[in-house]
Amino acid sequence: MCIFAIAILYRICIIQFKEGNDWKAKAEAFTTKVFEMEASRGNIFDANGALLATSLPFYEVAVDINAPSIDDKLFRSKKDSLALCLHALFKDKSKNEYLKILQKARNTKDRYVVLKRNVSYRDLQTLKSFPIFRKGKRGGLVTIQTNRRERPFQALAARTIGLARPGIKPVGLEGAYDSILKGTGGKRLMQKIAGDVWRPINDENEVDPKDGKDLYTTLDINIQDVAQAALLRALVKNQASHGCAVLMEVKTGAIKAITNLTKSKKDSTLYTESFNYALAYPTEPGSTFKLASMLALIDEYDISLEEKTQVGNGECMYYDRRMKDAHPPTETVLTAQRIFETSSNVGVSKLVTKYFGKNPKQYIAKLNSFHLNQKLGIAIPGEGVPRIKQVKDKDWYGTSLPWISIGYESLVTPLQTLTLYNAIANNGKMVKPHFVDAIKENGKIVKSFGTEIIDEQIVKPSTVKKAKHLMEGVVKNGSGKGLNITAFKVGGKTGTAQIAKNGDYKTAGNVSYQASFVGYFPADNPLYTCIVIINNPTQGNYYGGLVAGPVFKEIAEKVYSNSLDFIESVNQPQNFLTKLPYVITTKSDELSKVANSFSIPFHAIDSDTYCHRNKQDTAKVDLVKVNLEQQLKKGIMPSLNGLSVKDVLFLLENNGVYVKIEGFGVVRKQSIEAGQKFSKGNKIILQLS
């Protein structure tokens, strides 16, 4: 017993210490693990079905050259041709290098040798036709699929579409709808082999992945292209730091185009989509905010657009702060209409101070009722947080009211400004901007996204009417006159805001400008609203009408010229017949139904027998009976001219005649002439026209 125990102990020591490493290596070689297989991510489409983002399959290709089905004879006879094919396809190694890889794997009994990573689907199909590999599952070819996200239109709406890459959190629409797009992963059993390499044990997955659903957006890639090109030209021309443009449908809130461009630090002519300014970058809006002030004045106090205000030389003092107009006024007294048209800071601030000076809470409450102090709740992550300064805030000063009235001391995003203007274009109904129309799976709608209403009526209908008059006046007679659009009317507002670093407006060189234009078109029946913002133009001009206005004009004119919604029909449909139609030979009751449905004058025959029109030039359809059935029963072929295929087949085949049809339409010629005798089983050829 002692000797037996000592022998066991000795063997344990040998296994543990002398052979331990070898046994561990063998154990690891047989280690198996179930790996999660990535599902194919769903596609993203524009409103017309154009592909905005898709997942392309790529493969890691390996070879098991020691598969049981590959015997020595097959390997020796095909290894050279296989190596040559691999060299011709991949071109990264010579034929001899590939031959050495294959021979070494064969000699060392290696069951998994990686040949190439990131192989396209097309190249994979070519690989499967190579010598040895063409044996299919028994040919030793091992593949592991991965998916790579691609955007066919590259930079167009890139930030809004977003990114989806392994290891990083998706952004844009990719991030907002990640759970829908990513699908459900599958499972595959893998075995660990030498060199910490995992190879699949089976050719098929244990559980196949379920592909993600598709996203159909509201974006129109054609309009997106127009908007991005127009904005890029303006940014390059004015050497601006960044800018954005957004086009939205008035009734639905559907975003048709959104572009955000930032100047490259390395190349002043290169702009990229690296940040979503329209959605995520709240700033002091400047003069475009004056619409909110005028809405508050009109809705609360019903001020007249002809109400006059003393603006003097375009300067005034509020405590120790001087307010100036960008351009000195041509008159010392301006109406509310002209104040808005010329974007007078002094005029707007004096009106707001006159009516709300004793109760600034009332003014702020009105701004809050426009939802300017709240996020829009856009599905895309990263929406900027707006701020309308409240009277109770610590940084509220005696000068806050007049400065807020002209677009300072508040923060709003471009998309919020656009939403306010869109509400006026939409007769007071504020709708939420949205980017997605539907989610589909295998072409079938899983979920639809309708229009979401934020506020049914933000101001009174009478206020909307006056506000539209104000904005249309800006383009016709005011700071937006330079747009010079003649094909259709536009309503909107220019904006020029000073943007200071850390709130310092006094230090020279510390202030940049933000030029903007926001409006709707066509003014008679608004279909679209658009906002354009260009930050820090450095080529002299920085006014909204001169810098941002041309971008708005180009977008509006191209959308107008390419949209069927704006085009009136050339030839109006006629609701009457100028000539009675041709009448084929058929049953009278059928002719009666057709004539009645088109309100054609018709003289009916109280019979279900076959008939045709008696005279072609009469003012109504008069019918005469045709004795087709009686003639056929007597074995005499009647005239079949004008009969439809349906009727002629019914008549002839019921009387034992074999019918051959040539052409389309109604019968024009028949091989057995009318009046000739026929027998059952005879063949007749009918030519139709």
Side-chain angles (χ1 to χ4, degrees), residues 44-75:
I44 300 178
F45 296 91
D46 85 336
N48 302 313
L51 195 59
L52 301 180
T54 188
S55 292
L56 298 180
F58 287 86
Y59 301 85
E60 178 182 289
V61 175
V63 61
D64 177 8
I65 206 66
N66 293 290
S69 59
I70 305 174
D71 55 29
D72 290 338
K73 181 181 178 181
L74 176 63
F75 178 73

Side-chain angles (χ1 to χ4, degrees), residues 28-29 31 35 60 62 110 112-114 117 144 190-200:
E28 289 182 358
T31 299
F35 278 77
E60 178 182 289
D110 199 337
Y112 189 83
V113 176
V114 177
R117 290 184 172 88
I144 299 177
M190 308 277 277
Q191 183 182 46
K192 188 177 182 182
I193 60 177
D196 287 335
V197 175
W198 291 87
R199 59 156 288 172

Side-chain angles (χ1 to χ4, degrees), residues 484-495:
N484 193 29
I485 298 176
T486 56
F488 52 93
K489 290 171 64 178
V490 172
K493 181 72 182 74
T494 59

Side-chain angles (χ1 to χ4, degrees), residues 628-636 655 678:
L628 298 175
E629 292 167 309
Q630 291 86 339
Q631 287 181 280
L632 286 167
K633 287 179 180 178
K634 294 177 181 178
I636 299 173
N655 285 277
F678 69 93

